[in-house]
Amino acid sequence: MGDFILFDKTAQLGKGYIIAFANRSQMLYFILFLPKFLEMPYSLLGILAIGILSQINLFILSKCLSSKYTQQGYQGFADLLGRRTLRIIAFAGIAFIFIKMSLIILGYAEIVHQFIFPAMQLPWMILFIILLSTYIASQGMEKTLRFGIIAFLCTFWIILLYIPYFFPPGAELHDLYPLIPTDWSHNPWKGILMVWSSLSGPEYLLLLLPWLNSKQKMLRYLSIANAISILQYLLLFLGCLFFFGSTYLGKIGFPVVNMIRYLQSPVFERVEIIMISLLMFHYVFFISVLLLCLYGAIRISAGTQDKETTRKGFYAVCLLVLAGVFFIQSFYWREGKELNGWANVQLWSGAFTYLLIPSLLLAATKIKGRGSSL
Amino acid sequence: MFWKKKSKRVRHENKEGNQLFQKSKDLSIAAVKGLISNMDDGELIEHRINKERNITLIFIRTLIDVERLNESIIQPLKNCSEDMIHTCIASVKAGALSSLDEAQKLMMLGHVLLDDGKGRWWAVPLVNTLGRSIEQSEAETILYGPKDSFTEQIDQNITLLRRRLPVTELKTEKFSAGYLTKAKVVLMYVEGIANPDIVDIARKKISKINIDMVIEQSNLAAFMEDHIHSVFPQFQQTDRPDQCAYSLGLGKIVILVANTPFALVAPITFFHLFQSPEDYIHKWMVASFLRCLRYVSYLASTTLIPLYVALTTHHYQVIPLQILFVLLESRSKLPFSPFWEALFMLLILEIIKEASLRMPSKTSTTLGTIGGIVIGQAAVEAGFVSKVLIVLVGIAAIASFLVPNYLLSKTNTLIQFAFLILSSLLGFPGIVFGMIYVLAHLNGLSSLKQPYFAPVAPLYWRDWMDFFIRAPIPWMKKRPAHVHPLFKWRYNRGDDH
């Protein structure tokens, strides 16, 4: 067996990767049931508003990404924050990464369970997903990020399947009213928070910066990705409103998946089974990246980042993740309820990381810059 | 413990193997005579010049051109004066010999060893160029375009390439591979276009080959591939000189091996294996359509039967009602589950394919008829397989023949079986698991250290001009980026290196 190198770098990845990564990271699990929590047509404006806030956040993130500290990878972060602080942050990061990863795995496994194999036990699906992700991640960060393009190409067109829902026979423009809220009996804040949390993900680019070409116009590509994501959110929400209507939308589980079930095709029925299967590309890619980030975070917090990566160490981390996900599935995961306790944890943690990490890091960069110039 | 013992033994054998070929370095008549002892085709001719002096010729009769021996050496020597021997045979480029090793090596390559009677030895090249003439390619036939193909004569193959690329930048580097076969290996590239790093990788890989025999190009490829456990070929193997010349012009390297009519081309990508020489002969829209058809066919050949198994085992609800009726009627009396039914048919198909390859061409037609009609129809009538599956197996089999690269087309058999098992276990998600695994594997492969799944991963937008579609040739102004050519423009536009 040859050397087991996970974090080497032979080439820098270009704009396509940045756009694909940022966009796909904003189209993960929450989007599949987001319309249920948005429910009312005026939430369209909420999506737009959060999209603008996300754009401002991405502006801050792009500033961080172009900072001389972040571009140096681990060494830069150590210079910026200090080794001790960095180890503490990395240790805390393990929890955030694990929460995100476990939600994606459990969420996807539940969808497969609910829509494709009701008789199959959830742990089998979890095992298969982690095995596949481990294989992809074991090829190293560079190849895993490259796989992102394959995942993007295999899934981005799924949005086109929703086009027929804009022209259902019974739909009318009235279904989109009221665009401005007239009564506040429906509490939209959870939905709005979910949009924000769902848009989180691009902040992980901070961890991938050594593999990206830092000379590029980050803000431009992040803005393109964000705009595409917001457009997709709007399209999916509009489609759901037309198809289910706002009254029924709040009662249906996974409306974005359920809607596809009714797609008419001369060759296949129940197209959602095929769509869910293909979504695996997307989820497995992200789990692989998160596995590598988790392994890296564990190495930093253990202070072994300068040692070579080992097969044993990496597989041990993957086994721990597997055990952890099994544990959460047994004790904290409630099937049949999209926003269960664990999903709620990710809802807040995702919103927290997306809001605070870029801002805090930029602040730290400015303070450090000011300190060094004095 | 056992491993250690085994490795010791192997080392011991290698030592003996090396000793087998170690001989005295002294170049003398007795030593050279010793070289041809117990060789029926080893010849020794002595020609007396004067009373004290004999000229001795030693050679292997079957390796040299005997007619030229007469014309070039024996006749000139008859009329040669005592001190003019070297001048007499100058027309055939005689080279002086200094060691027995050198003499042995050259004699086995078709040289005549000549002792001038004064202890000086010469090697005169009279290589027997026996071999078949240039014929039409059988592995990659095309209707319009050049018909010639490589032969077993390596020099002839180099000539075919030099005629197509008559530039001094076309470099040839000679190597020898296999301590028994001493096969001549020639590395070819266009200096100034091919990336020196890639040439260097190839050079190092060839130099490192340490084995007794390199009989044909696949032996060499096995040592040069970056990932030996992958089912996917990491070198293009072609017998078409036009293909090789085109690849050289794009900045790739070509490796020729003596006594084999196939060349190795690298670095390649997975998508190159779907390209046919005819793509550049057809009009671009036709070529693009045909190319897309090949990708679809490859996908169909690997997934069609697993899809059938997934649908009939796990996802009946996906099939529209009208088709479901046909399927249920077809499967109603079968004793096997869809998985066993499909496995049985695929195994039969592979047996027929393999048998038809090994049989003489006239018999293989009969075999095809028996296999296709008799076994297929009989299996349906006997109630072993459904009619729908027979149709799908037929489509999948024909689809697999659309891939121009034979080595790639054989990989789909293994993939198909793996997908079949996954689909029977997990239905559609199982097939997608398999697809993700294959794509991740392809993404991790490399050919001479260059990414195998380019131009998709890594993304090289420029190369998409010659990928799913084949853009009009005047639009393809740059060489493929994944090859990292030194000179990227295909048009003469100054010094943009």
Side-chain angles (χ1 to χ4, degrees):
Chain A
M1 273 189 203
D3 295 338
F4 188 69
I5 302 165
L6 291 176
F7 301 113
D8 65 330
K9 193 181 82 172
T10 56
Q12 287 194 316
L13 307 175
K15 58 186 174 187
Y17 295 90
I18 299 167
I19 296 173
F21 183 89
N23 169 252
R24 292 290 94 184
S25 70
Q26 294 180 324
M27 298 297 294
L28 287 169
Y29 179 61
F30 283 149
I31 185 64
L32 299 180
F33 58 88
L34 181 66
K36 178 180 179 172
F37 288 85
L38 294 172
E39 202 178 338
M40 302 305 285
Y42 51 73
S43 299
L44 283 167
L45 295 176
I47 295 176
L48 275 176
I50 296 295
I52 293 165
L53 277 179
S54 169
Q55 182 58 38
I56 295 168
N57 204 38
L58 288 177
F59 175 74
I60 299 169
L61 181 67
S62 68
K63 290 274 177 199
C64 292
L65 291 171
S66 52
S67 140
K68 64 174 181 182
Y69 295 107
T70 52
Q71 285 180 5
Q72 290 165 20
Y74 169 78
Q75 199 50 51
F77 280 106
D79 291 345
L80 180 66
L81 304 165
R83 281 179 193 272
R84 196 184 166 83
T85 320
L86 186 60
R87 280 179 74 170
I88 296 166
I89 291 173
F91 188 72
I94 293 171
F96 285 106
I97 295 169
F98 178 71
I99 292 167
K100 192 173 180 80
M101 185 165 30
S102 58
L103 181 86
I104 298 171
I105 297 170
L106 287 166
Y108 181 68
E110 185 185 332
I111 290 174
V112 172
H113 186 232
Q114 203 171 317
F115 287 89
I116 306 180
F117 288 123
M120 190 192 204
Q121 288 188 324
L122 222 53
W124 282 112
M125 202 63 206
I126 294 169
L127 177 72
F128 282 125
I129 293 170
I130 293 185
L131 275 179
L132 201 55
S133 307
T134 304
Y135 172 70
I136 296 171
S138 68
Q139 296 184 338
M141 185 61 98
E142 191 177 311
K143 285 175 181 168
T144 304
L145 288 176
R146 271 196 218 151
F147 184 77
I149 287 291
I150 299 170
F152 180 80
L153 292 174
C154 291
T155 52
F156 82 95
W157 50 268
I158 286 177
I159 194 77
L160 302 177
L161 293 178
Y162 292 88
I163 291 173
Y165 294 99
F166 289 95
F167 315 101
E172 288 185 20
L173 208 57
H174 296 107
D175 294 336
L176 298 182
Y177 296 150
L179 273 175
I180 295 161
T182 47
D183 98 82
W184 292 95
S185 58
H186 164 250
N187 184 1
W189 302 115
K190 196 144 203 180
I192 297 296
L193 176 68
M194 198 181 279
V195 175
W196 177 259
S197 182
S198 185
L199 285 171
S200 72
E203 71 271 24
Y204 282 88
L205 281 171
L206 283 165
L207 308 178
L208 312 177
L209 210 53
W211 290 273
L212 302 175
N213 188 350
S214 54
K215 286 174 188 166
Q216 298 180 93
K217 293 164 186 166
M218 284 285 181
L219 181 60
R220 179 188 288 180
Y221 304 134
L222 289 175
S223 305
I224 292 170
N226 191 52
I228 296 171
S229 303
I230 297 297
L231 191 68
Q232 284 174 317
Y233 279 36
L234 289 171
L235 286 174
L236 289 173
F237 186 50
L238 272 173
C240 285
L241 278 176
F242 278 133
F243 191 69
F244 294 115
S246 58
T247 324
Y248 187 53
L249 187 57
K251 294 176 181 63
I252 188 108
F254 294 108
V256 173
V257 182
N258 246 313
M259 201 159 57
I260 290 290
R261 177 178 283 200
Y262 302 95
L263 201 69
Q264 298 286 318
S265 146
V267 189
F268 291 119
E269 287 179 1
R270 295 287 305 272
V271 182
E272 92 278 8
I273 292 180
I274 301 165
M275 185 193 86
I276 292 168
S277 305
L278 285 173
L279 281 177
M280 201 191 301
F281 271 97
H282 180 187
Y283 293 123
V284 158
F285 161 63
F286 258 90
I287 297 161
S288 313
V289 173
L290 292 174
L291 268 177
L292 285 166
C293 291
L294 191 74
Y295 180 53
I298 289 173
R299 278 160 54 84
I300 291 172
S301 46
T304 56
Q305 70 281 346
D306 297 327
K307 292 184 181 170
E308 281 182 5
T309 50
T310 61
R311 228 174 266 275
K312 270 185 196 167
F314 177 67
Y315 291 143
V317 168
C318 296
L319 262 178
L320 275 176
V321 168
L322 182 68
V325 176
F326 278 159
F327 180 79
I328 288 158
Q329 187 258 326
S330 308
F331 297 103
Y332 294 101
W333 191 257
R334 246 185 76 197
E335 269 197 81
K337 190 169 184 254
E338 298 93 343
L339 199 62
N340 55 30
W342 195 250
N344 250 314
V345 173
Q346 166 57 22
L347 180 71
W348 286 100
S349 79
F352 173 79
T353 54
Y354 193 41
L355 181 71
L356 291 183
I357 288 177
S359 312
L360 290 178
L361 209 60
L362 186 68
T365 316
K366 294 284 176 199
I367 293 165
K368 181 85 178 174
R370 213 173 288 166
S372 58
S373 65
L374 283 173
Chain B
M1 200 174 82
F2 296 106
W3 284 108
K4 273 185 183 173
K5 272 191 174 175
K6 195 176 176 184
S7 69
K8 262 186 182 174
R9 201 180 68 219
V10 170
R11 233 177 279 143
H12 179 67
E13 281 171 0
N14 281 344
K15 207 176 163 188
E16 280 181 354
N18 289 337
Q19 279 171 351
L20 187 71
F21 297 96
Q22 281 174 6
K23 292 204 168 75
S24 143
K25 301 269 179 192
D26 298 334
L27 192 55
S28 62
I29 288 270
V32 179
K33 272 183 183 172
L35 294 178
I36 57 165
S37 63
N38 294 333
M39 276 187 180
D40 180 48
D41 52 352
E43 298 270 355
L44 185 147
I45 297 174
E46 286 185 339
H47 175 68
R48 183 170 288 276
I49 293 181
N50 56 35
K51 284 178 186 172
E52 292 162 5
R53 198 168 162 199
N54 266 349
I55 290 178
T56 313
L57 300 175
I58 297 177
F59 55 90
I60 308 289
R61 191 182 61 244
T62 46
L63 290 179
I64 64 152
D65 190 337
V66 182
E67 280 182 23
R68 277 180 63 211
L69 174 72
N70 256 329
E71 287 167 20
S72 311
I73 302 179
I74 296 180
Q75 291 304 332
L77 283 178
K78 275 182 184 171
N79 309 318
C80 196
S81 69
E82 206 172 315
D83 300 321
M84 299 286 284
I85 291 170
H86 183 234
T87 322
C88 291
I89 55 170
S91 60
V92 281
K93 283 200 290 183
L97 289 171
S98 56
S99 71
L100 186 66
D101 269 354
E102 196 186 357
Q104 177 191 3
K105 198 173 144 193
L106 290 175
M107 184 175 72
M108 296 315 293
L109 290 174
H111 288 235
V112 173
L113 306 182
L114 187 151
D115 171 30
D116 64 0
K118 286 185 174 175
R120 282 177 304 187
W121 283 84
W122 306 91
V124 185
L126 286 180
V127 185
N128 185 349
T129 52
L130 182 73
R132 66 185 172 99
S133 56
I134 296 170
E135 288 163 11
Q136 194 168 336
S137 167
E138 280 186 14
E140 294 168 88
T141 47
I142 59 168
L143 283 178
Y144 296 95
K147 301 284 182 193
D148 55 349
S149 69
F150 287 138
T151 67
E152 284 75 9
Q153 304 300 311
I154 194 165
D155 289 336
Q156 204 168 38
N157 296 344
I158 296 172
T159 309
L160 289 175
L161 288 174
R162 283 218 181 273
R163 275 186 199 164
R164 284 175 166 87
L165 295 170
V167 288
T168 51
E169 283 80 7
L170 179 61
K171 302 297 177 193
T172 51
E173 290 183 21
K174 198 183 120 188
F175 299 85
S176 169
Y179 68 80
L180 273 184
T181 51
K182 297 195 191 302
K184 185 176 171 185
V185 175
V186 174
L187 169 67
M188 298 183 82
Y189 58 92
V190 179
E191 197 176 54
I193 295 178
N195 191 304
D197 292 340
I198 294 173
V199 177
D200 203 41
I201 292 169
R203 208 179 274 144
K204 280 180 186 160
K205 279 183 181 259
I206 299 172
S207 309
K208 276 186 187 169
I209 294 171
N210 184 9
I211 190 78
D212 56 349
M213 285 182 280
V214 172
I215 302 285
E216 32 86 29
Q217 80 291 340
S218 295
N219 299 155
L220 199 76
F223 278 92
M224 293 183 70
E225 281 178 345
D226 294 341
H227 309 265
I228 54 167
H229 298 300
S230 176
V231 294
F232 294 100
Q234 290 143 52
F235 282 86
Q236 189 181 3
Q237 302 190 9
T238 179
D239 64 349
R240 299 191 60 88
D242 55 332
Q243 275 279 81
C244 287
Y246 186 70
S247 299
L248 283 167
L250 293 180
K252 296 181 188 183
I253 59 139
V254 167
I255 300 167
L256 298 171
V257 183
N259 303 317
T260 177
F262 285 90
L264 298 174
V265 180
I268 57 156
T269 68
F270 175 68
F271 306 102
H272 263 111
L273 303 172
F274 289 88
Q275 294 177 3
S276 157
E278 267 188 340
D279 288 354
Y280 303 94
I281 292 166
H282 286 299
K283 302 296 282 181
W284 76 270
M285 276 189 279
V286 179
S288 304
F289 171 73
L290 291 176
R291 201 176 269 184
C292 289
L293 203 64
R294 279 181 222 130
Y295 289 118
V296 173
S297 300
Y298 186 73
L299 190 69
S301 69
T302 48
T303 56
L304 207 57
I305 310 297
L307 274 176
Y308 166 83
V309 172
L311 285 170
T312 49
T313 312
H314 298 286
H315 312 300
Y316 266 109
Q317 64 273 45
V318 174
I319 309 166
L321 206 59
Q322 292 303 319
I323 304 174
L324 190 62
F325 285 146
V326 177
L327 201 64
L328 286 177
E329 190 272 327
S330 169
R331 284 200 39 77
S332 58
K333 287 174 187 168
L334 298 186
F336 303 119
S337 70
F339 171 70
W340 290 110
E341 179 196 3
L343 188 71
F344 169 70
M345 268 321 288
L346 284 180
L347 280 175
I348 295 282
L349 180 73
E350 285 311 311
I351 290 168
I352 294 170
K353 270 175 159 180
E354 202 55 28
S356 61
L357 274 178
R358 309 280 160 247
M359 301 286 273
S361 56
K362 283 177 187 168
T363 329
S364 67
T365 320
T366 322
L367 190 80
T369 317
I370 296 169
I373 300 171
V374 180
I375 295 181
Q377 199 168 344
V380 173
E381 281 177 9
F384 287 132
V385 290
S386 68
K387 288 173 195 165
V388 177
L389 182 66
I390 291 284
V391 173
L392 294 177
V393 166
I395 295 171
I398 292 168
S400 72
F401 294 125
L402 257 76
V403 181
N405 190 290
Y406 178 71
L407 295 176
L408 180 68
S409 71
K410 293 307 274 184
T411 61
N412 73 349
T413 310
L414 270 183
I415 296 171
Q416 197 178 33
F417 278 109
F419 281 13
L420 194 67
I421 295 166
L422 284 168
S423 68
S424 74
L425 291 174
L426 290 167
F428 278 148
I431 296 174
V432 176
F433 267 128
M435 286 169 84
I436 293 176
Y437 179 83
V438 171
L439 289 172
H441 174 73
L442 287 168
N443 179 44
L445 289 181
S446 57
S447 166
L448 284 185
K449 309 283 180 202
Q450 306 309 307
Y452 192 65
F453 212 57
V456 175
L459 261 181
Y460 292 112
W461 289 114
R462 196 212 300 172
D463 295 357
W464 283 52
M465 288 264 216
D466 195 10
F467 173 31
F468 281 121
I469 59 152
R470 201 276 286 156
I473 291 171
W475 290 8
M476 293 195 268
K477 293 183 178 175
K478 290 179 181 176
R479 298 194 165 84
H482 73 268
V483 185
H484 304 293
L486 285 189
F487 191 70
K488 65 183 177 184
W489 291 96
R490 292 181 67 186
Y491 285 72
N492 252 337
R493 26 170 307 154
D495 54 352
D496 184 8
H497 278 74

